[in-house]
Amino acid sequence: MRVPWQRLVPRDYMSLLSIAFLSSFGSGRSPMMNLAGHRDPYSEGCTGLSSDIESCQSKDMKLMLYIGGGSRSYSLASSDDARQVATYIWNSFLGRQSSFLPLGPAVLDGVDFDVEGGTDLKFYSNSPCQYTSGDITNLEEVWKQWISDIPATKFFLGLPAFPEAAGSASSHQGGLISMAV
């Protein structure tokens, strides 16, 4: 089920919208998107999202393509394979230099890598550390532990905004905003 973008825009507290995921790529796989219950860009077409993307950007929101995700149907076999995937992403989502543009002619603002495995930590759909509506305790404790050895002073934490995107792991916007501001 597609969450209408009108539910997201305009929101003065939102500056970034994630389009997730390019979940299959590399090692001879054809790049494929999984939009978590939204339309299939390869069979149903999602070029209509182009006007939604441009509407968000006109309100100073950044739209990022997330690649990877929990499917783990991705890997890079070589430097050449990585270049081919990067070229596909550039031509299809950032540079509009492909004959097939999965999301239409709009240009996205960037790419975020959600390559799960190793030391990655997902703060949603992961009950020991996920945000629970009205209770930030689990998230805060694991977050403090996770960043303790990182000398950075600013961090970006993205959480799913709607149940359609992550089930019970979605954040209640009002509660989260009051804790962050």
Side-chain angles (χ1 to χ4, degrees):
M1 176 177 147
R2 181 174 180 235
V3 175
W5 288 30
Q6 294 83 346
R7 283 178 53 188
L8 302 174
V9 180
R11 300 282 194 238
D12 58 356
Y13 51 81
M14 293 181 71
S15 60
L16 184 129
L17 185 63
S18 307
I19 299 175
F21 284 96
L22 181 66
S23 57
S24 179
F25 58 85
S27 298
R29 295 178 196 91
S30 295
M32 295 294 292
M33 291 186 75
N34 177 348
L35 299 179
H38 297 329
R39 299 181 73 132
D40 177 359
Y42 301 97
S43 63
E44 298 172 311
C46 286
T47 58
L49 290 179
S50 189
S51 60
D52 290 333
I53 291 167
E54 291 167 346
S55 174
C56 291
Q57 290 169 327
S58 75
K59 294 168 177 50
D60 294 326
M61 289 182 78
K62 301 291 184 202
L63 278 87
M64 307 287 282
L65 173 67
Y66 275 50
I67 69 169
S71 72
R72 299 199 179 149
S73 296
Y74 51 85
S75 61
L76 299 171
S78 65
S79 294
D80 185 54
D81 191 23
R83 274 189 290 280
Q84 288 176 20
V85 170
T87 298
Y88 169 80
I89 291 169
W90 175 260
N91 289 342
S92 300
F93 301 100
L94 303 170
R96 296 185 315 184
Q97 299 175 7
S98 175
S99 59
F100 175 69
L101 303 169
L103 301 176
V107 175
L108 298 181
D109 296 297
V111 176
D112 192 357
F113 297 85
D114 180 16
V115 179
E116 298 185 13
T119 59
D120 290 358
L121 181 57
K122 185 166 61 169
F123 288 93
Y124 63 92
S125 297
N126 187 358
S127 59
C129 60
Q130 83 180 30
Y131 170 78
T132 303
S133 186
D135 183 6
I136 196 169
T137 307
N138 289 345
L139 182 138
E140 191 174 38
E141 291 304 313
V142 174
W143 180 259
K144 285 177 187 175
Q145 179 183 357
W146 188 72
I147 65 168
S148 64
D149 293 331
I150 301 172
T153 58
K154 290 185 178 182
F155 294 91
F156 173 78
L157 175 63
L159 296 171
F162 294 99
E164 295 90 341
S168 64
S170 65
S171 59
H172 180 269
Q173 298 167 348
L176 206 75
I177 292 164
S178 68
M179 291 177 203
V181 177

